[in-house]
Each structure stands twice: as C-alpha cells, then as structure tokens.
C-alpha cells in the first residue's frame, strides 16, 4: 500500500517510514538541480545570510525542470530527478542546519548523509528516473522562485503538489539504506561470480586443447 504524506511533514511522520516503503506527497516541496545552488546555500551558512526560501523542516529535492517565463510568471512544465550523489559534500550540513525532513532525487546519498538523516529525522526519497510525465502531473502551483539571477533549473523553486510519486523510501530515518544493502549484496556475490568466470575460462581452455 502506498501512503500519502502531507508536506511539510512532522518528525513523527518521517520516523514512521521504513526503507523500501512507497509514498506519495501532497503539499509543498522545494527543488533545485544546481551544484552552484548548494554551494551558494553553504556560503549563506558561512556568512549568516538567510536563504531566500525558508528550508526549515522542508522536503528538499534534487529535481531538474523545464520552465517558461512570460509577463513575470514562472511556469514549471515538467520535472525530473537529477543525481543526488554529486551533492554528498553539502547535504550533511544542510540536513542538520535546516532540520530537513526529506531529501531526494536519484542515485542516493552516502553514509555521512544517512547518519545526518538519522540524527534529525529525515528520509531519502528515490524518484522514478525517466518518469517526468508521471511526476509532472502532480504539479499544482508554483509557490515561489528564488535566486532569479541563476539559470532556471538552478533556482530554488517551491511547488505545491498533489499525489507526487510513487516515491521509494530508499534511506530511512533509522539509518537503513537500500543502497548500502545492494552494495553489500554485490560485494558478497562477487567472489562466487569471479570463481564461476575462472572455472568457465579453464573449461573453455581445456576444451580447446582436446
């Protein structure tokens, strides 16, 4: 069963989720696809400047978008996840400082990020790669757009969405990570795979000599 969580969520909402569970989102989310955006947020923290959008307790997602601007109106036509791993150096600080309740995109985040999520009560939500049509149907309103001096998909955009998803809880607020589980499974399977390949090569070589 796919649960619907209203955003911004409570800590209790987030800690009730478990890795592998699927959810949909109603409410407000914040998104950006920019590495420069993350670096600019870090400079805000260093200088004490408030970010233009309040990120406290927010859902902060790595989503690219195609947008149009006309007569002062900013319209998000579609959105699609971008890879989160490139933001690993910044996310632990952002998660802890703003008490983010959810982050997400595709590709996951590292153990340092998962540890920060466990501390504050935050999950990583995996978005369907290539699912822009399904995801974009959830857009209901552009609530705000910040840092307009940046190219459009690097800006910080707040959206109101309805039934955004389905999204997979890939890292939960208890430190469990589907990415770590997959990595461990692959490492455990590797010796057996290598042994099978070795045996196959030896069998092929023996056959060629007979």
């Amino acid at each position: 069963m796919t649960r619907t969580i209203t955003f911004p969520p409570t800590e209790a909402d987030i800690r009730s989720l478990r890795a592998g569970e699927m959810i949909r989102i109603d409410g407000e989310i914040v998104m950006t696809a920019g590495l420069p955006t993350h670096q600019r947020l870090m400079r805000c923290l260093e200088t004490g400047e408030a970010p233009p959008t309040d990120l406290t307790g927010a859902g902060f997602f790595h989503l690219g978008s195609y947008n149009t601007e006309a007569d002062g109106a900013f319209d998000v036509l579609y959105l699609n996840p971008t890879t989160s791993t490139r933001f690993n150096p910044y996310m632990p600080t952002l998660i802890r400082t703003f008490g983010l309740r959810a982050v997400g995109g595709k590709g996951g985040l590292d153990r340092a990020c998962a540890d920060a999520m466990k501390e504050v009560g935050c999950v990583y939500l995996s978005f369907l790669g290539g699912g822009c049509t399904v995801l974009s149907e959830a857009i209901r309103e552009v609530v705000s757009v910040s840092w307009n001096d940046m190219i459009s998909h690097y800006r910080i955009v707040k959206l109101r969405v309805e039934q955004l998803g389905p999204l997979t809880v890939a890292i939960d607020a208890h430190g469990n990570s589907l990415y770590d589980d997959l990595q461990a499974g692959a490492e455990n399977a590797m010796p057996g795979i290598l042994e099978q390949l070795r045996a196959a090569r030896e069998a092929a070589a023996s056959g060629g000599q007979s």
Side-chain angles (χ1 to χ4, degrees):
M1 183 177 68
T2 302
R3 294 169 57 185
T4 296
I5 305 293
T6 299
F7 271 51
T10 66
E11 182 177 351
D13 288 334
I14 294 303
R15 292 205 182 271
S16 73
L17 299 172
R18 294 295 184 271
E21 190 171 353
M22 301 190 76
I23 70 166
R24 293 181 184 272
I25 294 174
D26 285 349
E28 293 186 354
I29 65 168
V30 178
M31 69 175 193
T32 184
L35 187 59
T37 316
H38 288 68
Q39 294 166 340
R40 192 166 177 177
L41 282 170
M42 295 296 286
R43 288 197 298 272
C44 284
L45 298 182
E46 292 167 2
T47 62
E49 176 187 353
T53 299
D54 185 8
L55 299 178
T56 305
F60 183 73
F61 299 121
H62 303 137
L63 296 170
S65 58
Y66 178 73
N67 315 296
T68 60
E69 294 181 84
D71 301 323
F74 186 91
D75 191 19
V76 178
L77 300 185
Y78 72 77
L79 52 85
N80 208 41
T82 190
T83 303
S84 297
T85 51
R86 58 201 174 104
F87 307 120
N88 276 327
Y90 312 104
M91 292 310 298
T93 298
L94 296 179
I95 289 165
R96 289 187 174 103
T97 300
F98 296 112
L100 298 177
R101 292 296 174 218
V103 294
K106 65 179 181 179
L109 290 169
D110 64 13
R111 176 44 53 181
C113 296
D115 289 343
M117 286 186 261
K118 183 177 179 179
E119 287 177 26
V120 306
C122 176
V123 293
Y124 181 90
L125 300 176
S126 177
F127 283 70
L128 175 65
C132 66
T133 301
V134 173
L135 298 172
S136 302
E137 288 176 348
I139 299 171
R140 294 294 177 268
E141 179 186 4
V142 177
V143 178
S144 65
V145 183
S146 303
W147 284 340
N148 292 330
D149 57 312
M150 306 184 88
I151 61 175
S152 61
H153 63 283
Y154 284 4
R155 299 175 191 176
I156 296 179
V157 178
K158 181 180 286 188
L159 293 178
R160 184 174 65 83
V161 297
E162 185 177 320
Q163 293 296 288
L164 177 65
L167 312 173
T168 302
V169 180
I171 305 174
D172 66 24
H174 307 280
N176 303 305
S177 171
L178 299 185
Y179 302 103
D180 288 353
D181 293 346
L182 288 170
Q183 180 67 28
E187 291 174 357
N188 291 336
M190 186 60 69
I193 294 171
L194 293 175
E195 176 58 28
Q196 289 177 18
L197 291 173
R198 184 197 62 78
R201 284 195 300 268
E202 290 182 354
S206 298
Q209 295 172 1
S210 59

